[in-house]
Short mmCIF file of all heavy atoms in Angstrom, two decimals:
data_model
loop_
_atom_site.label_atom_id
_atom_site.label_comp_id
_atom_site.label_asym_id
_atom_site.label_seq_id
_atom_site.Cartn_x
_atom_site.Cartn_y
_atom_site.Cartn_z
N GLY B 241 4.39 -6.23 1.21
CA GLY B 241 5.10 -7.19 2.06
C GLY B 241 4.82 -6.94 3.54
O GLY B 241 5.08 -7.80 4.36
N HIS B 242 4.24 -5.78 3.84
CA HIS B 242 3.86 -5.47 5.22
C HIS B 242 2.36 -5.24 5.25
O HIS B 242 1.88 -4.21 4.80
CB HIS B 242 4.58 -4.20 5.70
CG HIS B 242 6.08 -4.25 5.56
ND1 HIS B 242 6.90 -4.69 6.56
CD2 HIS B 242 6.87 -3.94 4.52
CE1 HIS B 242 8.15 -4.63 6.15
NE2 HIS B 242 8.17 -4.18 4.92
N ALA B 243 1.63 -6.21 5.79
CA ALA B 243 0.17 -6.15 5.73
C ALA B 243 -0.38 -4.87 6.37
O ALA B 243 -1.27 -4.23 5.82
CB ALA B 243 -0.42 -7.38 6.42
N GLU B 244 0.17 -4.48 7.50
CA GLU B 244 -0.36 -3.30 8.18
C GLU B 244 -0.14 -2.02 7.40
O GLU B 244 -0.98 -1.13 7.38
CB GLU B 244 0.24 -3.17 9.58
CG GLU B 244 -0.44 -4.11 10.55
CD GLU B 244 -0.08 -3.80 11.98
OE1 GLU B 244 0.11 -2.62 12.32
OE2 GLU B 244 0.03 -4.77 12.75
N ARG B 245 1.02 -1.94 6.75
CA ARG B 245 1.28 -0.73 5.95
C ARG B 245 0.33 -0.64 4.77
O ARG B 245 -0.16 0.44 4.44
CB ARG B 245 2.73 -0.73 5.45
CG ARG B 245 3.75 -0.60 6.57
CD ARG B 245 5.15 -0.46 5.99
NE ARG B 245 6.16 -0.76 6.98
CZ ARG B 245 7.46 -0.87 6.72
NH1 ARG B 245 7.89 -0.72 5.47
NH2 ARG B 245 8.31 -1.15 7.66
N VAL B 246 0.10 -1.80 4.12
CA VAL B 246 -0.81 -1.79 2.97
C VAL B 246 -2.23 -1.44 3.46
O VAL B 246 -2.93 -0.64 2.85
CB VAL B 246 -0.78 -3.12 2.22
CG1 VAL B 246 -1.86 -3.18 1.17
CG2 VAL B 246 0.60 -3.34 1.59
N LEU B 247 -2.63 -2.05 4.56
CA LEU B 247 -3.94 -1.77 5.13
C LEU B 247 -4.11 -0.27 5.37
O LEU B 247 -5.07 0.35 4.91
CB LEU B 247 -4.12 -2.54 6.44
CG LEU B 247 -5.37 -2.19 7.25
CD1 LEU B 247 -6.55 -3.06 6.87
CD2 LEU B 247 -5.12 -2.29 8.74
N ASP B 248 -3.16 0.30 6.10
CA ASP B 248 -3.24 1.71 6.43
C ASP B 248 -3.31 2.58 5.18
O ASP B 248 -4.11 3.50 5.07
CB ASP B 248 -2.01 2.17 7.25
CG ASP B 248 -2.10 1.68 8.69
OD1 ASP B 248 -3.19 1.23 9.07
OD2 ASP B 248 -1.08 1.73 9.39
N ALA B 249 -2.43 2.26 4.23
CA ALA B 249 -2.36 3.07 3.02
C ALA B 249 -3.66 3.00 2.23
O ALA B 249 -4.23 4.01 1.83
CB ALA B 249 -1.18 2.63 2.15
N VAL B 250 -4.15 1.77 2.02
CA VAL B 250 -5.37 1.62 1.22
C VAL B 250 -6.56 2.25 1.91
O VAL B 250 -7.33 2.99 1.30
CB VAL B 250 -5.64 0.13 0.90
CG1 VAL B 250 -7.01 -0.06 0.26
CG2 VAL B 250 -4.55 -0.43 -0.03
N LEU B 251 -6.71 2.01 3.20
CA LEU B 251 -7.84 2.59 3.94
C LEU B 251 -7.81 4.11 3.87
O LEU B 251 -8.81 4.77 3.60
CB LEU B 251 -7.78 2.19 5.42
CG LEU B 251 -8.20 0.78 5.81
CD1 LEU B 251 -8.13 0.61 7.31
CD2 LEU B 251 -9.62 0.50 5.34
N THR B 252 -6.62 4.67 4.11
CA THR B 252 -6.53 6.12 4.16
C THR B 252 -6.80 6.75 2.82
O THR B 252 -7.54 7.71 2.70
CB THR B 252 -5.13 6.54 4.67
OG1 THR B 252 -4.77 5.72 5.79
CG2 THR B 252 -5.10 7.99 5.08
N VAL B 253 -6.20 6.17 1.78
CA VAL B 253 -6.38 6.75 0.44
C VAL B 253 -7.82 6.57 -0.02
O VAL B 253 -8.45 7.50 -0.54
CB VAL B 253 -5.39 6.14 -0.58
CG1 VAL B 253 -5.69 6.64 -1.98
CG2 VAL B 253 -3.97 6.46 -0.19
N ARG B 254 -8.38 5.39 0.21
CA ARG B 254 -9.77 5.14 -0.20
C ARG B 254 -10.72 6.12 0.50
O ARG B 254 -11.66 6.60 -0.11
CB ARG B 254 -10.17 3.71 0.14
CG ARG B 254 -9.89 2.76 -0.95
CD ARG B 254 -11.15 2.57 -1.81
NE ARG B 254 -10.83 1.93 -3.06
CZ ARG B 254 -10.50 2.58 -4.18
NH1 ARG B 254 -10.49 3.89 -4.21
NH2 ARG B 254 -10.21 1.92 -5.27
N ARG B 255 -10.49 6.37 1.76
CA ARG B 255 -11.40 7.24 2.48
C ARG B 255 -11.23 8.70 2.10
O ARG B 255 -12.17 9.47 2.14
CB ARG B 255 -11.17 7.09 4.01
CG ARG B 255 -11.77 5.80 4.52
CD ARG B 255 -11.51 5.62 6.01
NE ARG B 255 -12.22 4.44 6.50
CZ ARG B 255 -11.76 3.66 7.48
NH1 ARG B 255 -10.60 3.90 8.03
NH2 ARG B 255 -12.46 2.61 7.86
N ALA B 256 -10.00 9.06 1.71
CA ALA B 256 -9.74 10.47 1.39
C ALA B 256 -10.14 10.84 -0.03
O ALA B 256 -10.45 11.99 -0.30
CB ALA B 256 -8.26 10.79 1.62
N THR B 257 -10.12 9.87 -0.93
CA THR B 257 -10.39 10.18 -2.35
C THR B 257 -11.83 9.77 -2.69
O THR B 257 -12.40 8.94 -2.02
CB THR B 257 -9.41 9.40 -3.25
OG1 THR B 257 -9.47 8.02 -2.93
CG2 THR B 257 -7.98 9.90 -3.04
N PRO B 258 -12.36 10.36 -3.76
CA PRO B 258 -13.74 9.99 -4.15
C PRO B 258 -13.82 8.49 -4.42
O PRO B 258 -12.88 7.89 -4.93
CB PRO B 258 -13.97 10.80 -5.42
CG PRO B 258 -12.98 11.92 -5.38
CD PRO B 258 -11.78 11.39 -4.66
#
Side-chain angles (χ1 to χ4, degrees):
Chain B
H242 305 268
E244 280 192 35
R245 293 186 199 172
V246 172
L247 171 90
D248 284 348
V250 171
L251 283 182
T252 315
V253 174
R254 270 266 166 268
R255 284 178 174 146
T257 54

